[in-house]
Amino acid sequence: MAQGHAEALLHGDVRAHIVRLSLPSLAAMLASGLGTLLDALMLSRLGSEATAAAAVGFPLLTLYQTIGFTLGMGAGALMSQAIGRGEEELPGRAAALSLLLALLLSVTLSVLSLLLPGPLLQLLGAGEQTPAQALRYIRFLLLSAPLLCLSLVLSSLLRAQGRAGAYGAAFAAGAALGAALEALLALRMQLGLTGIGIAMIAREALTLLLLATGAVRCRLRLLYSSPGVLVQMLRYGLPTLLRQGLMSVSGVLLNRAAVSFGEAALGGMGLAVRALSLVSSAVIGFGQGFQPVCGVCAGAGRMDRVREGFFFCLRAVVLSLLLLGALLFPFAGPLLARFGAPQEAVAFGARVLRAQSVVLFAQGAVVLFNMLTQSLGLTVRAALVATSRQGFVLIPLLLLLPRLAGETGLVLCQSVSDVLSFLLALALTRGILPRPQRTGDAETG
């Protein structure tokens, strides 16, 4: 299976291979994003405190995604390059080790968080009137999050083996079940937050169950993996760890900055972030079709195919997001009003959404630059690109702009960060891909 996958990616139309692999990834990421967006929609209908609870829980959800994406992308990139080199046992070792670590880390985090709910809420930036609603929601989130974490790892492993369809269907089925249960339990049976929580757990459980039937090729005997396998896996996954980890930190700082302007600002920021996360999910899903192509072709020394595939993806994403931004700008308010949130929260969230719609193309390009450098094993450059938008660019802006320009400064923080991060990514990735007439070697980090 693995070698047949490698042969397919090394021949034929690179663009066709990327589209074939990206469609299931795109479906999976959109289904996952729609699930979390539906949670926010249901919560917003329960009042302003529940809307704020969704904003408070988002950084915690991002933390679990950090574990899953880090281990999954690290193991997946290692597997793709090993498949491209013709290695047979290394992919199985990486798969087994990543699943074991994801299980241990996610369960440990949930247990500790359930035992210390008060400090957790304060750490997440909850306001004085938020904890009662947020605590109920976060308890369900903590129970479902380890399932999500394992699903993210499994999906990366299946994608690295060229089995994208298996996980695309799993995420779609999970999202459909979650939506049906939320409509039944939260709306028809009037169970409120409890119904939303039960639906969330069921959604993640079904997704994980279906992914597990995809039978990723790893055996328990391979868990004796040498430390070298773990080091290589973490090297490939380090940029994701930094990006997602700093996303959690910046999410907390964003909540703290927003709550200082009132509960409406916190709720509105949460709505905008959730809506935009769907766009990010789509870009990531499309880019995930490029990652196996990049890894296998780079492992086989075919950097010309890496270049062709990357610029195809970059053009597609930038043009699509320019169009989406133009459509989103005039309809930001009516779109967020669909959530049924208080008018003040919708008005603030619409300002954020309009500011972000202007620079969506920059956000998408940064994601692709990060995927390129990460898949090639360029650890330092990938880490710098990955940590710019949600880290050392955004965090100082969150600490500075709201103090200088009030609510307007808070609204503009993420947009300014996107532009600066885009310029930095261009500088860091210049010269990585050789021109058609030249042969280039992948940097080792």
Side-chain angles (χ1 to χ4, degrees), residues 2 58 64 69 74-75 79 83 85 105 118 137 164 178 196 208 218 246 250 277 310 316 324 392 395 401:
F58 194 74
Y64 282 92
F69 279 132
M79 289 173 68
I83 290 171
R85 293 191 298 266
L105 291 174
Y137 172 66
I196 294 172
L208 179 60
C218 61
L246 285 172
S250 63
S277 69
F310 173 73
L324 178 61
F392 62 83
I395 290 176
L401 287 185

Side-chain angles (χ1 to χ4, degrees), residues 76-86 236 294-296 298-300 375-377:
L78 180 59
M79 289 173 68
S80 293
Q81 293 234 4
I83 290 171
R85 293 191 298 266
Y236 281 104
C294 180
V296 171
S375 297
L376 293 178

Side-chain angles (χ1 to χ4, degrees), residues 92-107:
R93 289 191 179 187
L97 188 57
S98 62
L99 288 170
L100 176 63
L101 289 175
L103 177 64
L104 293 176
L105 291 174
S106 62
V107 170

